[in-house]
Amino acid sequence: GNRVFVSGHGTGLVVLDASSPRQPQVEGSAEHDLGSTDYFAGEHISVVDGKIYIAGHDDDWGGFTIYQDVPGGDPEFLGDFSMYDLPNLGTLDRVAVKDNVAYLSSGGAGFLLLDVSDPTAPKQLTDPDGESTVLDFSVADFEMNGNLIAAASGRRFGIIDVSDATKPVLRGELDLNDLDLGYGMKVAASGSTAYLAGHQRLAVIDFSDPDYPTITGSIAISGHRAQDVKLVGDLAYVVGDSGLGVFDLT
């Protein structure tokens, strides 16, 4: 649509009306609130069914907040989840939401699943035995594709199956050392193909067989390190340290 949701380091949540791209207007805003702290840095936003989900961190721990979108007005705070009891997971830096489950990568230290069926009280998702669903796979970035998640982890790539969200399963892995993609790779996916943007290179991975993902190609990219990658039709847009690169995927 024509609305943009922005959250940064200590800036709160801002909703912009971008129907006039040259002159975007502030439509609404809200101060972040995470437990007892007044500071919250948003790292990534996902908007699903009128709810605004933000992954980020406060001064010490990772954190997660939920707002109700109010078109034409200020977003309403609903609930939050602090990583105080899970300090080893660090910063939360990406979120996706599907079927009342929030999937969060945590600064490359793990992969956390939260039950957000009650947005005023998000809680850690557990299996039928009450065990945690934190997956022992250090996710730096990811993208969901149905019940499969394409995930980058350090110098590895993995496919996580969340057909049963209470029991996520790591299906297949790839060692990416030979591609020199570096750490902190960014991921985009279309169908059963994943695109990994890293250190001066964009790699293409086929995961049509989730148990055995395979590298099908790679290409050099401008910029020393990719900050993000997005797919629009047959084009991949890669933002790097030194600018924007556009790649034809056909």
Side-chain angles (χ1 to χ4, degrees):
N2 294 319
R3 301 169 73 235
V4 179
F5 300 84
V6 181
S7 180
H9 287 238
T11 61
L13 171 63
V14 178
V15 183
L16 301 175
D17 178 353
S19 53
S20 177
R22 293 182 182 274
Q23 293 182 318
Q25 302 293 319
V26 174
E27 180 180 295
S29 65
E31 294 295 324
H32 281 314
D33 182 14
L34 183 65
S36 61
T37 181
D38 294 328
Y39 174 83
F40 179 78
E43 297 289 347
H44 187 257
I45 295 176
S46 180
V47 182
V48 179
D49 295 334
K51 303 291 191 302
I52 306 166
Y53 303 90
I54 307 176
H57 59 90
D58 62 18
D59 291 319
D60 299 306
W61 316 103
F64 171 72
T65 60
I66 306 176
Y67 291 82
Q68 177 67 52
D69 183 21
V70 181
D74 294 330
E76 296 177 359
F77 174 79
L78 294 177
D80 62 30
F81 182 88
S82 173
M83 300 292 286
Y84 180 80
D85 293 327
L86 300 168
N88 292 334
L89 289 182
T91 299
L92 296 177
D93 47 22
R94 185 170 179 83
V95 56
V97 178
K98 179 177 182 288
D99 297 333
N100 288 322
V101 177
Y103 300 84
L104 298 122
S105 61
S106 52
F111 194 61
L112 176 67
L113 281 67
L114 297 180
D115 178 351
V116 294
S117 55
D118 178 359
T120 66
K123 60 184 180 181
Q124 193 172 349
L125 192 67
T126 58
D127 66 18
D129 296 321
E131 297 295 324
S132 165
T133 52
V134 173
L135 187 67
D136 186 20
F137 186 76
S138 301
V139 177
D141 194 32
F142 70 94
E143 185 149 325
M144 295 195 70
N145 179 25
N147 289 322
L148 298 177
I149 293 174
S153 171
R155 295 179 183 271
R156 297 187 299 162
F157 172 80
I159 296 296
I160 302 169
D161 190 331
V162 291
S163 299
D164 180 352
T166 66
K167 295 181 179 179
V169 176
L170 181 62
R171 293 278 297 271
E173 287 186 74
L174 271 176
D175 187 320
L176 302 173
N177 277 308
D178 292 341
L179 287 179
D180 191 27
L181 289 167
Y183 295 94
M185 293 175 289
K186 299 301 179 181
V187 183
S190 176
S192 58
T193 303
Y195 300 87
L196 273 65
H199 180 71
Q200 299 191 40
R201 187 156 291 275
L202 176 67
V204 183
I205 296 177
D206 177 7
F207 60 95
S208 52
D209 183 345
D211 296 315
Y212 299 98
T214 58
I215 300 168
T216 59
S218 68
I219 187 173
I221 60 176
S222 61
H224 297 293
R225 184 172 65 89
Q227 301 290 341
D228 204 358
V229 55
K230 295 296 181 185
L231 306 179
V232 180
D234 292 326
L235 300 177
Y237 294 81
V238 181
V239 178
D241 288 346
S242 62
L244 172 68
V246 184
F247 301 87
D248 188 340
L249 304 176
T250 58

